[in-house]
Amino acid sequence: MDKYVSVGKILNFHGIQGEAKVGFSKNQADFLKSLKSAFIKFENEYKLFKISSVRFNKNFALIKFQGINSINELIPYKNCLIFVERQTAREKLEENEFLIDELTGLDVFDQNNENIGIAVGVSNNGINDFISVKSKSKNICLVPFVKALVPEVDIKNKKIIVNNIKGLIE
């Protein structure tokens, strides 16, 4: 498993002082605001930057990195991903929150402990998260990631329990 987790992408600059316009995942504003530093992956190397400030404008984060004080200093990092160490991300998770790559690849079992597939991804429709499950019949089924349908996620034992109601996973 990688040491780093992506938390955003530098899309462009904002203003002339080297502030970065960053795209990020929904519901991660508080997490971004709590960061004191982050890594920018530049030319296959993770470069550590301290963060001076984080603020928000529409659906974007505006991040000021120490040492980047102009558009010209920021331009080389345009389209680069921003990362934090995996442990930093794990510490900020609340109970029953998971990193997406921890869920991908887990076996999916029904309430009778019968293996019914494998988790191949996680998505969001703006309201709910969904686990994409590749069933034994090779269908991809979207399972709403709610406690009533997904009562248990066991990262340690690499399994997800799903209340497989009729028609959910076929």
Side-chain angles (χ1 to χ4, degrees):
M1 209 172 273
D2 290 339
K3 179 180 177 182
Y4 303 101
V5 176
S6 175
V7 295
K9 181 177 182 179
I10 298 175
L11 303 173
N12 213 337
F13 57 86
H14 182 83
I16 62 171
Q17 302 296 319
E19 199 170 29
K21 180 179 180 182
V22 175
F24 64 98
S25 295
K26 185 179 172 87
N27 299 328
Q28 294 302 310
D30 289 340
F31 174 73
L32 285 178
K33 204 164 193 137
S34 74
L35 294 177
K36 304 293 181 226
S37 63
F39 296 87
I40 298 176
K41 188 173 183 184
F42 181 71
E43 296 178 349
N44 275 343
E45 186 179 319
Y46 294 90
K47 297 177 79 173
L48 179 64
F49 286 90
K50 290 188 181 214
I51 296 174
S52 299
S53 66
V54 178
R55 60 191 182 99
F56 300 93
N57 184 359
K58 299 182 182 171
N59 294 327
F60 302 99
L62 303 176
I63 300 178
K64 180 73 172 95
F65 296 99
Q66 286 183 14
I68 298 178
N69 298 307
S70 71
I71 293 171
N72 292 338
E73 291 173 340
L74 182 65
I75 290 291
Y77 299 106
K78 185 175 177 182
N79 295 317
C80 289
L81 294 175
I82 300 171
F83 292 83
V84 296
E85 290 182 325
R86 177 174 296 283
Q87 188 57 35
T88 300
R90 292 249 5 99
E91 289 168 359
K92 302 288 184 181
L93 293 177
E94 294 182 15
E95 188 177 343
N96 292 322
E97 285 188 326
F98 308 94
L99 299 174
I100 290 172
D101 65 347
E102 290 178 329
L103 299 174
T104 304
L106 296 184
D107 288 318
V108 178
F109 294 85
D110 67 11
Q111 57 273 33
N112 299 318
N113 211 30
E114 181 182 329
N115 188 312
I116 55 175
I118 187 168
V120 294
V122 177
S123 59
N124 183 291
N125 69 355
I127 297 171
N128 282 324
D129 290 323
F130 292 87
I131 299 175
S132 299
V133 177
K134 186 173 186 179
S135 70
K136 295 291 184 181
S137 61
K138 307 292 185 220
N139 291 326
I140 302 292
C141 307
L142 294 178
V143 177
F145 202 172
V146 295
K147 196 75 166 166
L149 293 174
V150 185
E152 183 181 346
V153 175
D154 186 346
I155 300 293
K156 184 178 177 185
N157 292 310
K158 300 184 178 184
K159 70 191 249 183
I160 297 172
I161 305 294
V162 171
N163 287 331
N164 191 19
I165 59 176
K166 185 172 173 69
L168 184 62
I169 299 176
E170 297 176 340

